[in-house]
Amino acid sequence: MTKFVFITGGVVSSLGKGIAAASLGTLLESRGLKVTIIKMDPYLNVDPGTMSPFQHGEVFVTEDGAETDLDLGHYERFIETRMRKINNFTTGQIYDSVLRKERKGDYLGKTVQVIPHITNEIQDFIFRGTQIGERDRAQVAIVEVGGTVGDIESLPFLEAIRQMALRLGKGMTCFVHLTLVPFLASAGELKTKPTQHSVQRLREIGIVPNLILCRADRPIPKDECEKISLFSNVQKEAVISAYDVDSIYEIPRILFEQGVDEIICQSLDLSLPSANLTIWDSLLNKLTLPLKPVKIAMVGKYVDLKESYKSLSEALIHAGIHSEVKIVVEYIDSESIEVDGVERLVDCDAILVPGGFGSRGIEGKISSIKYARESGTPFLGICLGMQLAVIEFARNVADMPKANSTEFDPETSFPVVALVTDWLTKDGNIENRSFLSDKGGTMRLGSQHVKIFKSTLSHKIYGDFTKERHRHRYEFNNLLKSKLQDAGLIISGETENGNLVEIVEVSSQNHPWFVGVQFHPEFSSTPKNGHPLFKSFIDASLSFSNSRIESSNSDNYSNLDKGIHETSRF
Ligand code: GLN
């Protein structure tokens, strides 16, 4: 039987509940348990894939092609279990499912209500989420309750988990509450009152936390923790100081040092060998080494909201850990390049154009790619970035003026990137359309095999095959493939059946490192392993940086930085 750790949040949002859940996952996994994590989102959208990254940050894509909340990305970076569609659900999906059953007559004409119908459905979805792989179930499922205690929207979730604790009985569930202990500058002290109120709120609903994780900008002194313990009726050892740290990957250790995993194991009646964090400790050591910085220009649209490139910035950090360099990401709004030109790219060691949708800032990205190709600056284009690299090459090398994607110019005379159905109207000779995914409409989603051609840079990086996740609609247009190849563009990866282009390169004779990939490698990068494509990209950036230093005859290594990498904070 799976046991459950429920994580609720109090006081304010954005405290890092996802990272807390993920870190608990690391600790429990390192004690030998098979762990999974489930996220319940309290909004009414049925499909998180259609939500704006401006509001919700990145859309994370699972291997099985689900477009989910970015917290699932954190889970995969911290635990071994791969997330699936079943690991994330929204209130909208719960209602959708209940209403469909009602339409089918499953409730036999009874009155359909929030309690018990919605709360039962939530419990069914939670149990469904405990599955790992085809047959296995998690020994412990960590369930993150989205929203904040006191929100009207979260109430059915809280009621459902309260009922679960009652149903499953002692030793089967553990409640963790994450709150804020703010520092008031005017009073010069940390304030525990919001936490006290938040726990009271939870208790009114019938949930008594086993553990309180108190977020603060500094370590919380013992007497403050004792005060919280007294007012919230939680053992003082179970009031944990979860203070700000430079790297999110420090959090499992901080929680471990305060005995968090032991408290959880005790409440779940689990007696296990103690946690082993050796691998995490060695990663952390590398993060604090004095390392040479490389500056990566990330030219994108949502640069003001870094959360929208979460997996990508983490993947760069992972590569930095493994290649032992400090990653400095310069987020550049592509529209500013359209106005000011490529000047800002000149002192960067590499250029990255990430995925995206819509025409805003497209020409600025294309100018950046042109600059990268002509100046020999290492370049990585991801999804839209790859498509724009093809457009740039078509326009400026392959003599296809105004080449474009039909996403941006449906009338272009050189649709080098287009919907597969657009290629059909132009030529009609694509027979096998089975590769068109029906998941999420016309979007190609989820993990698929990529066949890689010998004697290419990609082959050095990946070998013969890889599997990567996708999320896009438009494809490299095979009808213009030979024209691009004749002009020197290298196609180094395709789908297994050869129907779609997956990777393009510029020849190593003309450029040290220029790769565009139709898939999203950032979704499968973990701090423990790094990702081969990002590691190679970072190595190339380091060589480029070194060669520039050499050529400018400067042996001034004063930029050796005692460095915490640019990384997200807890
Ligand atoms: N907009 C492009 C497409 O739909 C690229 C998508 C992406 O970068 N994820 O194909």
Side-chain angles (χ1 to χ4, degrees):
M1 256 307 247
T2 305
K3 302 191 181 219
F4 294 90
V5 178
F6 296 110
I7 306 198
T8 54
V11 186
V12 290
S13 59
S14 306
L15 287 178
K17 216 177 328 142
I19 294 183
S23 303
L24 296 183
T26 302
L27 292 179
L28 295 179
E29 207 174 66
S30 75
R31 295 191 68 149
L33 290 165
K34 203 175 291 169
V35 178
T36 195
I37 310 183
I38 300 161
K39 166 104 196 254
M40 310 197 282
D41 280 311
Y43 42 77
L44 286 171
N45 304 61
V46 177
D47 180 3
T50 56
M51 293 166 78
S52 162
F54 276 125
Q55 274 185 23
H56 277 269
E58 166 185 283
V59 174
F60 183 77
V61 180
T62 58
E63 283 181 352
D64 65 352
E67 297 172 280
T68 67
D69 188 89
L70 61 81
D71 275 331
L72 271 77
H74 289 310
Y75 305 162
E76 286 205 352
R77 293 187 275 274
F78 280 78
I79 68 170
E80 296 293 327
T81 307
R82 296 302 84 187
M83 296 292 109
R84 303 195 294 166
K85 202 177 176 59
I86 52 173
N87 292 80
N88 181 208
F89 60 88
T90 67
T91 298
Q93 288 165 9
I94 296 285
Y95 274 83
D96 185 51
S97 174
V98 167
L99 292 176
R100 278 172 203 273
K101 285 184 186 168
E102 190 273 337
R103 297 285 76 200
K104 274 201 328 210
D106 286 4
Y107 300 115
L108 305 171
K110 286 196 195 125
T111 313
V112 181
Q113 294 175 296
V114 173
I115 301 171
H117 300 99
I118 294 295
T119 48
N120 283 350
E121 197 70 15
I122 293 171
Q123 293 178 54
D124 288 349
F125 272 55
I126 293 176
F127 282 115
R128 189 191 64 174
T130 60
Q131 190 159 350
I132 299 179
E134 285 309 303
R135 272 175 218 140
D136 261 1
R137 289 219 173 255
Q139 290 167 291
V140 175
I142 298 170
V143 183
E144 180 188 342
V145 186
T148 309
V149 170
D151 296 347
I152 291 175
E153 299 182 316
S154 305
L155 276 174
F157 287 143
L158 297 170
E159 173 59 17
I161 62 175
R162 184 194 68 76
Q163 290 179 12
M164 269 179 80
L166 185 73
R167 246 196 229 178
L168 294 172
K170 214 181 146 305
M172 292 300 289
T173 55
C174 171
F175 289 92
V176 175
H177 190 53
L178 183 79
T179 71
L180 177 70
V181 177
F183 180 80
L184 279 200
S186 55
E189 58 185 30
L190 287 161
K191 290 292 180 191
T192 63
K193 190 76 78 181
T195 294
Q196 294 172 33
H197 283 295
S198 172
V199 177
Q200 272 166 23
R201 209 61 200 265
L202 203 55
R203 294 167 67 90
E204 279 165 22
I205 301 166
I207 294 174
V208 182
N210 299 80
L211 190 99
I212 306 178
L213 291 178
C214 303
R215 293 282 294 108
D217 65 351
R218 65 203 67 209
I220 304 171
K222 228 171 160 203
D223 50 348
E224 298 301 325
C225 289
E226 280 172 13
K227 197 151 109 194
I228 294 170
S229 153
L230 189 68
F231 284 101
S232 35
N233 207 24
V234 170
Q235 295 290 329
K236 63 176 189 290
E237 301 73 35
V239 178
I240 307 298
S241 164
Y243 51 90
D244 284 356
V245 281
D246 287 312
S247 164
I248 51 173
Y249 302 117
E250 278 177 59
I251 297 158
R253 167 141 290 282
I254 282 167
L255 300 184
F256 168 74
E257 276 166 9
Q258 295 178 73
V260 165
D261 51 308
E262 188 51 37
I263 296 166
I264 293 176
C265 284
Q266 276 174 17
S267 17
L268 294 178
D269 278 345
L270 292 168
S271 143
L272 297 160
S274 78
N276 179 353
L277 293 179
T278 324
I279 297 176
W280 290 92
D281 288 343
S282 73
L283 293 178
L284 281 177
N285 281 343
K286 286 198 186 154
L287 274 171
T288 45
L289 285 175
L291 297 170
K292 181 165 187 314
V294 294
K295 190 155 139 192
I296 317 284
M298 186 162 350
V299 186
K301 178 162 86 168
Y302 303 113
V303 285
D304 293 338
L305 185 71
K306 291 183 192 161
E307 290 288 287
S308 49
Y309 297 119
K310 192 80 230 162
S311 295
L312 194 46
S313 49
E314 290 302 315
L316 290 169
I317 290 165
H318 304 159
I321 294 174
H322 290 274
S323 298
E324 302 199 356
V325 293
K326 177 184 168 182
I327 305 293
V328 179
V329 179
E330 181 150 333
Y331 294 90
I332 299 175
D333 182 351
S334 50
E335 281 180 310
S336 76
I337 301 243
E338 288 170 9
V339 179
D340 305 326
V342 292
E343 203 78 337
R344 281 179 73 189
L345 303 175
V346 173
D347 68 337
C348 290
D349 302 317
I351 296 170
L352 196 163
V353 176
F357 293 82
S359 57
R360 237 183 70 196
I362 288 299
E363 292 303 324
K365 292 180 194 176
I366 293 175
S367 309
S368 310
I369 297 168
K370 180 168 189 280
Y371 170 79
R373 187 177 53 74
E374 289 176 344
S375 64
T377 310
F379 168 78
L380 175 59
I382 294 179
C383 204
L384 177 65
M386 172 269 201
Q387 298 173 354
L388 297 178
V390 173
I391 293 169
E392 191 279 321
F393 197 90
R395 285 185 191 175
N396 300 316
V397 185
D399 196 23
M400 298 189 215
K402 299 203 177 139
N404 217 327
S405 162
T406 51
E407 182 177 6
F408 314 122
D409 178 7
E411 301 306 322
T412 173
S413 32
F414 296 107
V416 284
V417 176
L419 294 175
V420 180
T421 45
D422 291 344
W423 317 351
L424 285 167
T425 54
K426 294 232 153 53
D427 184 294
N429 67 356
I430 308 287
E431 283 152 24
N432 180 2
R433 295 177 63 193
S434 58
F435 50 83
L436 280 175
S437 165
D438 56 358
K439 293 177 210 142
T442 56
M443 190 87 95
R444 182 148 77 106
L445 282 167
S447 199
Q448 290 172 12
H449 282 288
V450 180
K451 182 174 62 183
I452 299 180
F453 302 124
K454 295 208 166 37
S455 314
T456 59
L457 173 57
S458 304
H459 195 268
K460 277 193 201 126
I461 296 169
Y462 280 115
D464 293 336
F465 267 103
T466 187
K467 222 180 157 191
E468 293 280 10
R469 300 183 203 181
H470 297 73
R471 180 175 184 250
H472 66 277
R473 284 195 180 84
Y474 293 81
E475 302 283 355
F476 180 110
N477 186 347
N478 284 353
L479 304 179
L480 293 165
K481 186 158 131 188
S482 53
K483 204 162 158 40
L484 285 157
Q485 283 175 310
D486 291 347
L489 188 71
I490 294 174
I491 312 287
S492 53
E494 285 180 353
T495 44
E496 238 176 337
N497 55 13
N499 278 327
L500 301 172
V501 169
E502 291 275 13
I503 317 180
V504 297
E505 295 177 13
V506 166
S507 153
S508 58
Q509 279 151 11
N510 299 330
H511 199 287
W513 207 101
F514 188 106
V515 178
V517 292
Q518 185 58 83
F519 46 80
H520 289 269
E522 69 273 24
F523 292 142
S524 49
S525 174
T526 63
K528 277 190 194 167
N529 302 321
H531 186 289
L533 185 65
F534 285 103
K535 286 193 271 190
S536 174
F537 176 56
I538 294 303
D539 289 343
S541 317
L542 184 62
S543 309
F544 183 68
S545 169
N546 287 339
S547 68
R548 284 201 309 178
I549 293 170
E550 273 164 30
S551 67
S552 72
N553 238 353
S554 144
D555 57 355
N556 175 8
Y557 269 73
S558 59
N559 2 354
L560 264 179
D561 231 341
K562 164 99 185 75
I564 293 291
H565 298 229
E566 153 130 354
T567 182
S568 37
R569 279 156 204 276
F570 186 28

